[in-house]
Amino acid sequence: MDYHEDSARGAWGSKIAFIFAAAGSAIGLGNIWRYPMMVGLNGGAIFVFTNILAVIFIGFTVMLAEFAIGRHTRKNPVGAYNAIKPGTHWKLSGYLNVAVGIGILSFYGVIAGWAVGYFFKAITGAFRRDLSWFDSEAIFKNFTADPLVVFVCFSVILVLTVFIISKGIKGGIEKWSKILMPALFILIIFLAIRALTLPGAGRGLAFYLNPDFSKFNGTVLFFAVAQAFFSLSVGNGAMMTYASYLSKKDNLVSSAGWVCFFDTLVAILAGIIIFPTLFTSPEIVPGEFVADTGLMFQVFPMVLSKMPGGYVFGVMFFTLLLVAVLTSTLSLLEVPTAFLVDEKKWTRRKAAIVLGALAFIIGIPAALSNGGVKLFTKWGVMIKMDFIFISLGMTIGALLISVFLAYAWGVKNALKEISFGNSRFKLKALWIFNIKYLAPVVIVILLIIIINIF
Ligand code: TRP
């Protein structure tokens, strides 16, 4: 069998192409924007530590489950559940994935739009030399409170996403991811080195990397696991859908390993840029600053304005951020698009356009919730949508995927699928334990904790 065996649906050009596309889906705002925010909100290093364990033991486990289900069925989530357990309620899990995909896209797209706006700010030299934390905050607040600008930027993201998705699998996503993901990587390492050499970087690093174990609690655990799912694009059928375009020759285990590794590395580096930079500002006191949605957009302009050649790096950084973001919005739109194409026989183009419009409408309150409309601002629409779709939607999605694989499809069948392209699965026993017991039990406990807290 070769890579083009199912070319009517589309297929990846190679294993490396798949890893880059999947890493492209994984690496995005979750790493650069949400991860530092979660670290800030959940006690710093203790979150970092817990999140890494969550990636290794739970994120990887469920990602491999998605890969196996996706490649086995070669379908979108609804189709996949239906193919393995036809005529059962399992397909509702697929519908949950489709709905959550659209839900996340609708507010993720707004923030992705901010990246568009900041790209133009960088080009026009809006980050003049030596911005203080407060200047940077004011620029951000004014920007996000302007409805016109925010809607234009949000639309730019959705139009680009719809355009590329309507072109199919190989043409757009693959080419972009292969060239631009490594470039993002090099740049982020460079910026991390710069941040580490800022005067006073140590204070930030201590907050970020020196865990205070007494701060560990159920909330930290919950957000660490939810963040692992979000950052890895796991729990929502996105990896399932991407894997549905894979060939039987590819090694699912090592692919999942690489995607988890790259994604975590980028998140850690993003924190290494953000925290030292943040704490070089004397106004910031560890434990007292508020990590809100603007963290990244306030810190980056600040570090850029303080470094030699900051203009050029600013333009490069926001260009690459845009690309990272786009490769992620693509995968969010791909899930419902694949559903309409496979199940309802829509054309890709029609599906992408209709879904893009839907995401725009659902995203309106989020777009206006950062100063645009007082009521939405007061409700904190963005944080609430984040909670509903990411913290709850994806966590429940991940639970259903694990339970489905372990108890409905069966670990034996999944292992047979995994064995194609990988004859020796070294961590087999561990994975079986994790997918059958650890992942479902931990997720159920988390859901109980969270229902009690909120
Ligand atoms: N993982 C992406 C990020 O870190 C976000 C994302 C893209 C996503 N596609 C997804 C999250 C699908 C869940 C499901 O930015």
Side-chain angles (χ1 to χ4, degrees):
M1 280 194 267
D2 75 18
Y3 280 102
H4 308 285
E5 56 195 306
D6 197 4
S7 49
R9 276 186 89 239
W12 304 111
S14 66
K15 177 188 172 187
I16 297 296
F18 168 70
I19 292 178
F20 275 112
S25 162
I27 298 169
L29 289 172
N31 308 63
I32 300 166
W33 163 75
R34 193 175 190 270
Y35 177 81
M37 175 171 100
M38 284 289 139
V39 173
L41 288 172
N42 291 292
I46 186 66
F47 180 87
V48 175
F49 186 78
T50 315
N51 175 255
I52 290 177
L53 292 181
V55 168
I56 295 173
F57 289 101
I58 301 183
F60 171 85
T61 302
V62 184
M63 183 183 288
L64 185 54
E66 285 207 27
F67 281 2
I69 297 170
R71 188 176 67 176
H72 182 73
T73 59
R74 301 180 168 280
K75 290 215 159 63
N76 68 91
V78 175
Y81 280 110
N82 220 7
I84 293 177
K85 286 279 149 195
T88 63
H89 289 310
W90 274 111
K91 66 171 177 293
L92 294 179
S93 299
Y95 283 108
L96 174 76
N97 293 161
V98 171
V100 168
I102 284 286
I104 296 178
L105 180 61
S106 69
F107 76 92
Y108 191 95
V110 173
I111 301 162
W114 297 349
V116 175
Y118 268 63
F119 169 72
F120 285 108
K121 277 187 190 298
I123 286 192
T124 55
F127 313 131
R128 56 172 207 286
R129 295 204 64 78
D130 282 328
L131 285 183
S132 74
W133 169 254
F134 291 116
D135 298 331
S136 192
E137 190 176 28
I139 292 177
F140 177 72
K141 292 247 150 84
N142 291 334
F143 171 77
T144 54
D146 185 338
L148 183 67
V149 175
V150 168
F151 276 119
V152 169
C153 293
F154 181 29
S155 310
V156 168
I157 284 291
L158 287 178
V159 167
L160 281 173
T161 306
V162 165
F163 176 76
I164 298 175
I165 282 296
S166 65
K167 295 263 158 198
I169 298 306
K170 201 166 166 182
I173 313 178
E174 187 172 315
K175 244 183 262 163
W176 283 51
S177 319
K178 255 165 113 174
I179 302 165
L180 290 156
M181 294 317 290
L184 174 87
F185 204 67
I186 291 166
L187 208 87
I188 209 165
I189 289 177
F190 183 88
L191 286 166
I193 292 172
R194 175 59 200 151
L196 284 176
T197 50
L198 284 170
R203 227 163 46 105
L205 271 192
F207 172 78
Y208 183 45
L209 295 177
N210 192 5
D212 174 354
F213 288 98
S214 68
K215 287 195 178 143
F216 182 82
N217 58 34
T219 321
V220 171
L221 183 65
F222 176 84
F223 284 111
V225 177
Q227 170 65 18
F229 290 145
F230 178 71
S231 185
L232 297 170
S233 304
V234 154
N236 186 45
M239 289 301 177
M240 203 186 282
T241 309
Y242 270 27
S244 75
Y245 306 112
L246 265 178
S247 101
K248 295 280 190 211
K249 278 195 303 202
D250 293 312
N251 186 331
L252 300 181
V253 179
S254 68
S255 302
W258 281 115
V259 175
C260 290
F261 174 73
F262 283 133
D263 185 68
T264 306
L265 193 60
V266 170
I268 290 175
L269 287 172
I272 286 186
I273 299 171
I274 296 225
F275 291 103
T277 311
L278 184 64
F279 287 104
T280 54
S281 171
E283 302 96 344
I284 306 292
V285 180
E288 277 183 22
F289 77 97
V290 182
D292 66 3
T293 47
L295 194 57
M296 171 188 113
F297 291 95
Q298 290 162 43
V299 173
F300 275 104
M302 209 166 94
V303 69
L304 291 166
S305 78
K306 287 180 183 177
M307 61 197 268
Y311 174 80
V312 174
F313 288 110
V315 173
M316 284 168 76
F317 177 78
F318 283 106
T319 309
L320 291 163
L321 178 65
L322 265 185
V323 173
V325 159
L326 256 182
T327 50
S328 297
T329 54
L330 290 179
S331 74
L332 285 165
L333 189 60
E334 178 59 30
V335 176
T337 302
F339 162 68
L340 289 177
V341 170
D342 291 348
E343 308 299 310
K344 307 285 171 198
K345 308 295 169 216
W346 285 30
T347 62
R348 252 187 177 271
R349 210 174 106 90
K350 179 177 160 199
I353 293 173
V354 170
L355 292 164
L358 187 63
F360 182 83
I361 294 168
I362 301 172
I364 291 173
L368 295 173
S369 71
N370 293 277
V373 168
K374 277 217 181 75
L375 188 64
F376 293 147
T377 311
K378 203 178 98 202
W379 284 349
V381 171
M382 212 137 194
I383 294 283
K384 291 222 167 88
M385 287 177 85
D386 182 296
F387 181 73
I388 293 170
F389 291 112
I390 299 179
S391 298
L392 286 183
M394 295 188 59
T395 311
I396 294 171
L399 174 65
L400 292 171
I401 289 165
S402 325
V403 171
F404 177 76
L405 186 142
Y407 303 103
W409 187 25
V411 170
K412 246 207 202 121
N413 292 324
L415 283 172
K416 183 153 177 253
E417 180 61 41
I418 292 170
S419 74
F420 298 123
N422 176 3
S423 43
R424 283 169 299 128
F425 179 6
K426 285 195 207 107
L427 299 171
K428 188 154 104 183
L430 181 65
W431 181 75
I432 295 174
F433 175 79
N434 289 348
I435 197 78
K436 280 179 107 165
Y437 308 110
L438 185 76
V441 169
V442 170
I443 299 173
V444 167
I445 293 173
L446 294 176
L447 288 170
I448 293 170
I449 293 174
I450 213 70
I451 287 163
N452 284 325
I453 292 176
F454 288 87

